[in-house]
Amino acid sequence: MMKKILTVTEIKNGELRNISFETIAAAKMVANGGEVVSVLLGKQEKGFTDALIQYGADRVIIVNHPQLALYTTDAYQQALLQIIELENPDGIFMGHTGNAKDVAPRIAMKLQSGLVSDVIAIEKNGEDILFTRPIYSGKAFEKKKINNGLLFATIRPNNIASLEKDESRSGEVTSINVEIKDLRTIIKEVVRKATSGVDLSEAKIIVSGGRGVKSKEGFKVLQELADALGGAVGASRGACDADYCDYSMQIGQTGKVVTPDLYIACGISGAIQHVAGMSNSKVIVAINKDPEANIFSIADYGIVGDLFEVAPLLVEEFKLVAVN
């Protein structure tokens, strides 16, 4: 049976986030030849709608309202509920991001619907759609299916590959006005405290530091390595607690959960709270002076040594490879 699936697009710093394309790919898996409709909230650029269609959306809805320029729970919830009522979809997919973690459960409650969060894989088993998600801080995985009602899920970034871009695709783009009222929160100013460059939650390569980095100055070495690889810099909670870096960089059970292609852990002991946020990385490289550090037990490759000696050598090698 063909289905209509809504995907909710996310924009950060004036650009479409990669998870927007990954949710489209996820929707295509379950639509079974049906329609995939991407929803853009707020004033949008034409390039956004073109990109969404080229990456697989059949139709794009632009939702207009000045209160949607910046995310607030009430405004997004009201807008999305109106679009869901109008479109009557069979499913809704969002990225498992800060915004969706906030608004998706509220929408599910309003719709009296189930919600499968933090999905890392989707598969078909006959007529059933199975969603795989990690549990127990990534130590185990469970498969869930929705027996009736909406296929409502949030997708973890970097786990379901986006489709190949097809610039020949075309699709319908419509603008819809919504009513938003009785807001309890109004955003007056946004102060950003985050790593520059690559978005940490969507980075394919992450260089992360722990207490072994020793200081704020020590993170400059990691930034050089990340820059050489085109990646982002993260940190353990220990490094953040020691004021070596901002908490926006924290990876772990109480920070960001990441799934990059390559994770380089520098001076990180491997406490279970940190491992919970990065253990599903495709390749893990650990650099630590302590050969008994727990991080080596989950690493694919380990380097026993001083990160301040090893990291600069890696930077030189990667730059040399780039030149050649």
Side-chain angles (χ1 to χ4, degrees), residues 236-249:
S236 70
R237 178 172 179 172
C240 297
D241 286 345
D243 201 27
Y244 298 162
C245 57
D246 190 77
Y247 281 99
S248 63
M249 298 167 62

Side-chain angles (χ1 to χ4, degrees), residues 18 21-22 25 55 160-164:
N18 289 334
F21 307 130
E22 294 166 7
Y55 276 100
I160 296 177
S162 58
L163 303 174
E164 291 291 327

Side-chain angles (χ1 to χ4, degrees), residues 19-317:
I19 187 61
S20 300
F21 307 130
E22 294 166 7
T23 53
I24 291 173
K28 285 285 189 181
M29 292 181 188
V30 305
N32 196 30
E35 188 179 35
V36 174
V37 182
S38 289
V39 180
L40 277 164
L41 299 171
K43 184 179 180 181
Q44 312 298 339
E45 303 292 336
K46 183 179 185 300
F48 293 168
T49 59
D50 291 343
L52 292 169
I53 291 169
Q54 289 165 3
Y55 276 100
D58 300 300
R59 184 158 55 91
V60 177
I61 297 173
I62 299 174
V63 186
N64 295 307
H65 198 283
Q67 293 292 352
L68 297 173
L70 295 171
Y71 175 82
T72 61
T73 304
D74 288 346
Y76 269 54
Q77 176 179 299
Q78 290 182 41
L80 287 171
L81 285 171
Q82 289 174 62
I83 297 303
I84 292 166
E85 182 179 7
L86 180 67
E87 290 290 324
N88 190 29
D90 300 292
I92 306 166
F93 285 176
M94 300 181 182
H96 192 66
T97 63
N99 291 354
K101 290 177 192 178
D102 179 49
V103 77
R106 299 169 190 269
I107 291 174
M109 183 272 293
K110 290 288 187 180
L111 298 174
Q112 293 295 290
S113 167
L115 171 65
V116 185
S117 62
D118 202 15
V119 171
I120 61 172
I122 300 173
E123 61 184 285
K124 291 183 178 180
N125 182 18
E127 294 297 318
D128 293 331
I129 306 296
L130 302 180
F131 299 93
T132 301
R133 63 185 299 273
I135 55 175
Y136 302 125
S137 301
K139 296 186 190 69
F141 301 89
E142 64 177 0
K143 291 186 178 181
K144 289 187 171 251
K145 71 173 184 176
I146 298 175
N147 292 320
N148 51 61
L150 282 171
L151 292 171
F152 196 177
T154 60
I155 311 298
R156 181 185 290 192
N158 279 351
N159 279 265
I160 296 177
S162 58
L163 303 174
E164 291 291 327
K165 186 177 183 180
D166 182 357
E167 296 185 356
S168 67
R169 292 190 88 249
S170 60
E172 180 185 352
V173 178
T174 56
S175 293
I176 295 178
N177 295 316
V178 294
E179 182 181 5
I180 295 176
K181 57 185 180 181
D182 300 327
L183 292 182
R184 292 174 293 177
T185 304
I186 297 175
I187 305 297
K188 292 186 175 181
E189 181 183 10
V190 176
V191 179
R192 301 187 186 279
K193 293 182 68 177
T195 54
S196 59
V198 182
D199 185 341
L200 183 61
S201 63
E202 295 187 333
K204 299 295 185 183
I205 298 173
I206 295 176
V207 180
S208 197
R211 285 189 181 272
V213 178
K214 299 180 181 179
S215 66
K216 290 183 178 180
E217 291 295 314
F219 268 87
K220 291 182 180 179
V221 176
L222 306 192
Q223 187 64 61
E224 290 175 3
L225 180 55
D227 290 343
L229 292 167
V233 177
S236 70
R237 178 172 179 172
C240 297
D241 286 345
D243 201 27
Y244 298 162
C245 57
D246 190 77
Y247 281 99
S248 63
M249 298 167 62
Q250 183 184 335
I251 293 170
Q253 194 167 25
T254 54
K256 292 181 172 69
V257 176
V258 297
T259 319
D261 293 336
L262 173 62
Y263 189 90
I264 304 178
C266 303
I268 292 175
S269 63
I272 191 168
Q273 290 87 352
H274 181 74
V275 170
M278 46 67 72
S279 60
N280 289 324
S281 303
K282 295 179 178 63
V283 176
I284 299 172
V285 177
I287 305 172
N288 201 298
K289 289 195 295 184
D290 179 7
E292 301 300 320
N294 185 59
I295 193 69
F296 287 121
S297 67
I298 64 164
D300 298 285
Y301 302 94
I303 302 173
V304 178
D306 188 334
L307 72 91
F308 295 106
E309 296 176 1
V310 175
L313 291 174
L314 292 175
V315 172
E316 289 181 15
E317 288 296 324

